Amino acid sequence: MIKEITIGVAIAALIFLALQGVNLLPLLFLGALCYLLYNLSGLKVINKGFQGQISPKTRGITFADIGGQENAKKEIIEALEFIKDSSTAEQLGIRPLKGILLAGPPGTGKTLLAKAAAAYTGASFIATAGSEFVEMYAGVGAQRVRELFQQARELARRDNRKNATIFIDEIDVLGGKRGQNFGHLEYDQTLNQLLVEMDGITANDEVRVLVIGATNRVDLLDAALLRPGRFDRIIQVELPDKDGRLQILKLHTANKPMAPDVNLESIACQTFGFSGAHLESLANEAAILAFRGQEKILKQEHFIEAIDKVMLGEKMDRQPSKDDLKRVAVHEIGHAIVSERVRRGSVSTVTIIPRGSALGYMREVPEADSYLQTRRQLEEKIQVLIAGAIAEEILFCSRSTGASSDFAEAAQLAKGMVFAGMSELGIVDPDSLPQNLLHRAVAQILRVQEELVREELQDKIEIIRCISQELLREEKLSGERLRQIIAGEDKPQTKAHLA
Ligand code: ATP
């Protein structure tokens, strides 16, 4: 508003002077020069400070609003007890806790944990991100760090609080190893300033500041930042396990009307590898699907479709040719048949409806959260991955480019097997293993699995043909339907020409 009034007054003054016959050219020139200097000198950036980048809203977020993450919550609460009971901590001579680092993949709830930590200690809360400090102008980053700490203290004073929490997301951008950014030392100055500010935190401060950093690349951080007395606690915030996923789903569906058929436990089982953010999106997508279908409540089918959407993206309008569709159907059924042989009940859905970059896909139900894999499990995974291409080869006497991502994934698994000492090379040193030897060992693993799958699918040509016909007609088959046909309980009625 003030800006608009100033501009209006300036224009009016210029018109007045022009009417009085004053030569305006030198004035205009001077004005343009000042404007240029103001923008280039970085003054504007410094003056802008953190206005608009702080988020003092933590009300409402408590540890109870965070699903799973039991270990992370426990560790943070333990650390925060020193702040809550600062007099006992002081009596025992415990130095103040200055920083907590939350390390883990995106979307796992690090920001939520920081907000809940602030609420737990009754602190005011300021959030920012490492990228906010990166400027090409020397000294701006360091100035912003100073301002950030000042602002956190002012905010706490204004709110009559004794504690302030500063949350710095992507702290690796600002706290990366020093001396690595050749050309200018701006990054190093910014990090130095953060270290200085953290060192300046004492037990006697009127407002006690706690810095919570978040990153998914702890390895990139400067050692000085991680030494005791700065980020005292490093807390791992992992992807949620099945129970964690169930809790997160319960939290994000609590405000939604649910049909009695919704089984969140089964949704939690099918979403191995999903972060909290994925699960929040899943619940939201399920509600959108219900809305599109003009339903008043969310049903299990909405959740199942929402899993596909979150995993693979929106359904595509593009319609593949009939020949492509037949190929895609055979490819997906190849995957599905081998997957069912490896683990009965493993197929959740098979479809030829294009979604994201996939023309079709087979989605498996993960068995249980498992973090270790045996040689046999890895070989079976490779078999499922290459089965699509081999089914195509058997029915159409040729392969297609549709299998390239399957092969890339299979090769990656085979490489993992070589490094885990599961190949003909025995135990190897990954750093000194020559590329040609690695390539040979990977190719050998893939060749053996390929032969096994070819033998298996040669014997199953009829069933592949039969289920592909049904898939072409229905576009989507549930795991149950697929198992019915494989077991010969129910045969598709019509025939379509496949090959
Ligand atoms: P990033 O590293 O990308 O900044 P983050 O780890 O800080 O991500 P948040 O911003 O805390 O993740 O989470 C994003 C959203 O995901 C939250 O607003 C919330 O809706 C949901 N979410 C993530 N984890 C959880 C959880 N454990 N419980 C409930 N909701 C969660």
Side-chain angles (χ1 to χ4, degrees), residues 65-67 69 105-112 169 248 251-252 276-277 280:
D65 300 315
I66 303 172
Q69 303 300 358
T108 42
K110 297 184 289 296
T111 311
L112 290 184
D169 205 357
I248 298 173
L251 283 170
H252 289 291
E280 187 274 333

Side-chain angles (χ1 to χ4, degrees), residues 61 63-69 73 102 104-115 167 169-170 214-216 237-238 240 244 247-249 251-252 275-281:
I61 303 281
F63 286 113
D65 300 315
I66 303 172
Q69 303 300 358
K73 283 195 261 185
L102 303 176
T108 42
K110 297 184 289 296
T111 311
L112 290 184
L113 284 166
K115 286 184 177 174
F167 175 63
D169 205 357
E170 313 160 6
T215 179
N216 39 32
V237 187
E238 302 290 359
Q247 280 186 39
I248 298 173
L249 282 169
L251 283 170
H252 289 291
S275 66
H278 282 125
L279 295 166
E280 187 274 333
S281 166

Side-chain angles (χ1 to χ4, degrees), residues 278-497:
H278 282 125
L279 295 166
E280 187 274 333
S281 166
L282 168 69
N284 192 47
E285 288 301 336
I288 292 174
L289 288 169
F291 179 80
R292 279 188 198 157
Q294 299 186 339
E295 311 256 10
K296 292 259 179 304
I297 45 174
L298 279 72
K299 297 184 177 156
Q300 182 78 351
E301 66 193 69
H302 298 134
F303 282 91
I304 299 288
E305 189 165 347
I307 297 179
D308 291 343
K309 168 129 191 249
V310 174
M311 269 184 174
L312 297 145
E314 188 66 86
K315 276 183 193 163
M316 298 309 232
D317 284 337
R318 63 170 181 250
Q319 193 49 36
S321 68
K322 273 204 164 128
D323 285 346
D324 279 357
L325 275 178
K326 285 177 192 168
R327 202 175 258 282
V328 176
V330 165
H331 182 106
E332 299 309 330
I333 295 304
H335 285 310
I337 284 185
V338 175
S339 179
E340 280 295 318
R341 187 260 304 152
V342 166
R343 182 165 54 92
R344 197 176 145 71
S346 62
V347 176
S348 171
T349 30
V350 198
T351 173
I352 50 167
I353 302 170
R355 209 181 253 284
S357 59
L359 287 177
Y361 57 92
M362 185 264 310
R363 190 161 59 71
E364 285 176 286
V365 187
E367 195 171 14
D369 294 3
S370 85
Y371 302 95
L372 278 179
Q373 284 165 323
T374 61
R375 176 181 178 151
R376 180 155 171 209
Q377 285 171 324
L378 288 166
E379 285 174 347
E380 286 173 346
K381 277 193 169 180
I382 294 176
Q383 289 170 12
V384 175
L385 280 165
I386 57 183
I390 300 200
E392 281 185 57
E393 185 190 295
I394 293 174
L395 269 101
F396 300 104
C397 303
S398 66
R399 290 183 183 172
S400 69
T401 51
S404 29
S405 59
D406 293 339
F407 290 159
E409 210 178 314
Q412 208 50 41
L413 289 173
K415 215 188 252 183
M417 288 176 68
V418 176
F419 293 149
M422 296 175 184
S423 74
E424 55 180 17
L425 299 177
I427 300 172
V428 293
D429 170 11
D431 295 332
S432 59
L433 183 66
Q435 278 299 310
N436 60 338
L437 273 187
L438 173 65
H439 175 75
R440 220 180 303 151
V442 166
Q444 172 64 12
I445 292 174
L446 295 179
R447 205 170 312 122
V448 171
Q449 300 314 314
E450 191 182 336
E451 270 320 304
L452 289 172
V453 174
R454 188 170 288 114
E455 260 175 49
E456 175 183 355
L457 293 186
Q458 285 284 9
D459 292 341
K460 295 181 176 167
I461 293 185
E462 268 321 302
I463 194 82
I464 298 177
R465 213 174 253 144
C466 179
I467 309 177
S468 310
Q469 286 165 2
E470 168 114 351
L471 182 57
L472 274 172
R473 217 176 31 253
E474 300 293 329
E475 294 195 325
K476 186 170 183 173
L477 293 183
S478 68
E480 289 77 51
R481 175 80 188 121
L482 178 90
R483 286 182 281 278
Q484 265 181 359
I485 308 175
I486 293 178
E489 288 166 19
D490 189 6
K491 287 248 159 96
Q493 306 103 28
T494 54
K495 291 213 165 167
H497 182 68

Side-chain angles (χ1 to χ4, degrees), residues 28-50:
L28 288 173
F29 180 72
L30 204 68
L33 199 68
C34 287
Y35 180 76
L36 261 178
L37 280 175
Y38 178 70
N39 273 297
L40 288 180
S41 68
L43 272 173
K44 187 181 167 195
V45 191
I46 292 175
N47 290 340
K48 209 166 80 178
F50 278 88

Side-chain angles (χ1 to χ4, degrees), residues 82-99 153 161-164 197-210 229 232:
F82 299 136
I83 296 182
K84 275 192 106 175
D85 192 2
S86 54
S87 55
T88 316
E90 255 169 58
Q91 275 169 18
L92 290 170
I94 297 174
R95 63 172 148 69
L97 175 72
K98 298 179 182 181
R153 290 192 174 99
R161 293 172 191 261
K162 284 196 186 124
N163 296 308
E197 294 290 343
M198 289 184 78
D199 288 345
I201 299 172
T202 68
N204 309 319
D205 287 348
E206 183 198 347
V207 173
R208 181 85 63 78
V209 177
L210 172 70
D232 270 324

Side-chain angles (χ1 to χ4, degrees), residues 13-242:
L14 285 176
I15 294 171
F16 176 73
L17 288 174
L19 289 175
Q20 295 296 313
V22 178
N23 181 5
L24 293 181
L25 269 181
L27 265 177
L28 288 173
F29 180 72
L30 204 68
L33 199 68
C34 287
Y35 180 76
L36 261 178
L37 280 175
Y38 178 70
N39 273 297
L40 288 180
S41 68
L43 272 173
K44 187 181 167 195
V45 191
I46 292 175
N47 290 340
K48 209 166 80 178
F50 278 88
Q51 300 309 319
Q53 292 156 7
I54 61 172
S55 149
K57 285 180 229 118
T58 61
R59 264 165 290 286
I61 303 281
T62 66
F63 286 113
D65 300 315
I66 303 172
Q69 303 300 358
E70 296 309 329
N71 280 338
K73 283 195 261 185
K74 198 170 129 239
E75 280 190 58
I76 293 196
I77 291 175
E78 260 172 31
L80 295 177
E81 292 303 339
F82 299 136
I83 296 182
K84 275 192 106 175
D85 192 2
S86 54
S87 55
T88 316
E90 255 169 58
Q91 275 169 18
L92 290 170
I94 297 174
R95 63 172 148 69
L97 175 72
K98 298 179 182 181
I100 297 179
L101 188 66
L102 303 176
T108 42
K110 297 184 289 296
T111 311
L112 290 184
L113 284 166
K115 286 184 177 174
Y120 188 75
T121 52
S124 56
F125 183 77
I126 284 194
T128 182
S131 50
E132 304 283 352
F133 298 87
V134 179
E135 280 294 341
M136 57 189 288
Y137 311 110
V140 175
Q143 167 75 7
R144 286 189 174 178
V145 172
R146 268 192 297 277
E147 282 179 1
L148 177 64
F149 278 75
Q150 268 167 22
Q151 234 167 338
R153 290 192 174 99
E154 272 165 28
L155 193 67
R157 262 183 235 118
R158 205 187 61 200
D159 296 349
N160 260 337
R161 293 172 191 261
K162 284 196 186 124
N163 296 308
T165 298
I166 296 177
F167 175 63
I168 308 178
D169 205 357
E170 313 160 6
I171 197 165
D172 44 290
V173 178
L174 128 86
K177 293 191 174 102
R178 281 173 292 184
Q180 289 195 341
N181 294 291
F182 301 107
H184 65 89
L185 294 172
E186 169 57 2
Y187 285 87
D188 300 356
Q189 280 184 21
T190 310
L191 173 56
N192 286 339
Q193 188 59 42
L194 178 64
L195 300 178
V196 168
E197 294 290 343
M198 289 184 78
D199 288 345
I201 299 172
T202 68
N204 309 319
D205 287 348
E206 183 198 347
V207 173
R208 181 85 63 78
V209 177
L210 172 70
V211 186
I212 301 186
T215 179
N216 39 32
R217 294 296 308 270
V218 181
D219 55 310
L220 293 183
L221 293 180
D222 194 282
L225 206 53
L226 298 178
R227 82 151 169 73
R230 281 164 188 162
F231 279 98
D232 270 324
R233 305 274 164 140
I234 301 183
I235 295 173
Q236 291 297 331
V237 187
E238 302 290 359
L239 288 172
D241 59 9
K242 197 192 114 196

